[in-house]
Amino acid sequence: MDQPIKKNNFHLEISPKEFDVAQTLDCGQCFRFTKESENCFSGIVENHFLRIEQTKTEVIFHNTTQKEYETIWKSYFDLDRDYNNIKQALSFDPTLKKAIDYAGGIRILKQPAFEALCCFIISQNNNIPRIKGCVDKLCEVLGTPIIKGRYSFPTPEALSKLSKEDLKEISLGYRDEYLLDCAQKVVSGELDLAQVATAEISVARDLLRSVKGIGPKVAECVLLFGFHRLEAFPIDTWIKKVITKYYPNGFPQQAFAYQGIAQQYLFHTIRTHKNELDG
DNA sequence: AGCCAGGGTCTGC
DNA sequence: GCAGACCATGGC
C-alpha cells in the first residue's frame, strides 16, 4: 500500500437541509460508511476512501481535489439533482411533508450496482447494524485493501469462486447460498447488470428476481439504491406500518416519479423518530 | 428471554 | 393466487 498523498480538502457550500451527511449515510440505504464523530463519516466507494464532514454552512470532503469531487463524489451523492423541486412536489401530502421536514436532507446515493445487489440480499430479514457487520466482514475477507483497515467491496469473480463453507465465517446465515447464486449469475452473464441498468423497470425487476433470494422488496432496493430508479418503491416491515397507518387507501399516485425518495424520507423518519409523522 | 429485523422460498390448498 | 412453516443470526 502506497502512502497516500496529502491533498487539500474540498469545501462545498451547502446547508444540511439540502444535504445532510449523517442522514444520508446512516439511513439504511448504504452500509459502507462508519460514523467517526457527530458530524463526520468515513467509507469506501469503489476503490476510493472518503472522510466527509458537515458544518452548518458546508460539507468538507477531506483530502479530495475539486476534480475528484466533480468526477466521483458529486455523482455518488446525487448533488447535481435539484431536490428542492422534488420535495416541493411531494409536499402536497401532509404526512410526506412531515417526513420531509424531518428527513429532507437525505439524498439517494448512486451506489455501485453489484455492491447494492449483494448488500440488499444480505439485508433480508436482518437488522441494519448486523447487515453492516456482515458487509464489513465480507469486504475484509474478500476485498482489496484501500487504506489501513478499509477494503473495497469484493468483485463478482472473487465471490463466485467461494463455496458455502467458505462463506460460513461471514455469518450470513441462510443467505450465503443466495449471495453465491447472485455472484455466479453475474459472472456467467446470466444476470447482465448493464441490461438491468437500461431495461424498462418491469423488465429490470424480473431480471433481478431471477436470482435466488431476490424477491419484490430486495429488487426494489437494488433498483433504487444501485440503479438510481427513483420510482422504485421498496416495502419493508417499516414502510408496511407507514402504509397501514397513514395510507390505508394506498400511496398517492402523484408521488410516482419520485416515490423512492418519498419512501426513504418516510422510512428514516418512522425508524428513528416513531411519532414524527403523527399530526 | 423473547421478539424482531430494509424477506424469500417452498409447500399445500 | 394465497396462507403458513421455515429459514440463521444476533440486536435490543
Side-chain angles (χ1 to χ4, degrees):
Chain A
M1 228 180 313
D2 294 334
Q3 187 65 30
I5 302 159
K6 178 71 186 167
K7 303 166 197 163
N8 292 327
N9 300 333
F10 178 78
H11 294 247
L12 175 69
E13 201 174 309
I14 193 166
S15 150
K17 285 177 72 87
E18 288 190 52
F19 175 24
D20 189 308
V21 172
Q23 283 184 346
T24 298
L25 292 175
D26 217 7
C27 71
Q29 65 170 319
C30 162
F31 309 99
R32 296 286 278 138
F33 277 80
T34 306
K35 188 174 191 171
E36 291 199 347
S37 64
E38 201 48 47
N39 298 307
C40 191
F41 286 73
S42 66
I44 303 274
V45 178
E46 307 281 5
N47 58 343
H48 310 289
F49 171 79
L50 175 67
R51 198 151 72 84
I52 183 167
E53 183 184 358
Q54 182 145 46
T55 72
K56 285 175 184 160
T57 57
E58 58 183 18
V59 169
I60 305 166
F61 297 76
H62 285 265
N63 199 31
T64 299
T65 65
Q66 176 160 2
K67 187 178 178 193
E68 286 166 339
Y69 167 74
E70 301 282 351
T71 56
I72 302 166
W73 305 115
K74 190 174 182 182
S75 162
Y76 180 73
F77 289 102
D78 204 21
L79 285 162
D80 34 24
R81 186 184 303 278
D82 183 356
Y83 275 67
N84 286 328
N85 283 341
I86 297 172
K87 285 187 270 188
Q88 202 164 15
L90 293 175
S91 292
F92 69 89
D93 175 79
T95 306
L96 264 177
K97 186 166 184 353
K98 293 189 192 82
I100 290 168
D101 288 341
Y102 178 76
I106 294 176
R107 308 185 79 89
I108 303 297
L109 300 170
K110 287 183 182 157
Q111 299 179 58
F114 180 69
E115 178 180 312
L117 189 51
C118 294
C119 288
F120 283 96
I121 285 173
I122 293 171
S123 79
Q124 80 165 60
N125 200 28
N126 209 340
N127 58 63
I128 290 175
R130 199 168 90 85
I131 298 165
K132 266 194 168 160
C134 290
V135 173
D136 281 348
K137 220 182 297 177
L138 192 61
C139 294
E140 194 176 325
V141 172
L142 276 173
T144 305
I146 304 296
I147 70 161
K148 191 170 82 73
R150 302 296 192 100
Y151 302 84
S152 65
F153 196 84
T155 62
E157 289 74 16
L159 254 175
S160 69
K161 287 175 187 149
L162 299 185
S163 67
K164 265 171 71 171
E165 283 63 44
D166 296 332
L167 267 182
K168 274 237 183 298
E169 63 172 312
I170 318 286
S171 303
L172 297 177
Y174 59 88
R175 307 169 194 84
D176 47 9
E177 64 175 304
Y178 299 162
L179 201 64
L180 290 180
D181 184 50
C182 171
Q184 285 160 7
K185 283 196 163 85
V186 169
V187 169
S188 73
E190 193 175 332
L191 175 61
D192 181 354
L193 296 184
Q195 189 187 355
V196 176
T198 54
E200 196 267 322
I201 191 162
S202 65
V203 176
R205 239 172 227 137
D206 290 344
L207 289 171
L208 290 172
R209 291 192 53 182
S210 70
V211 173
K212 191 174 179 186
I214 298 189
K217 190 271 173 184
V218 170
E220 293 305 293
C221 281
V222 175
L223 287 169
L224 180 57
F225 303 126
F227 291 93
H228 214 67
R229 299 290 184 102
L230 300 181
E231 74 272 39
F233 191 80
I235 300 178
D236 74 314
T237 55
W238 293 97
I239 292 296
K240 252 174 216 160
K241 291 172 197 163
V242 170
I243 291 178
T244 304
K245 188 166 179 188
Y246 302 100
Y247 301 102
N249 300 317
F251 199 68
Q253 281 299 310
Q254 299 98 301
F256 180 76
Y258 298 111
Q259 61 184 352
I261 299 181
Q263 175 274 157
Q264 197 56 22
Y265 293 153
L266 292 166
F267 174 81
H268 185 62
T269 305
I270 196 78
R271 203 176 74 82
T272 61
H273 208 285
K274 294 193 192 314
N275 300 319
E276 191 73 22
L277 298 175
D278 291 337

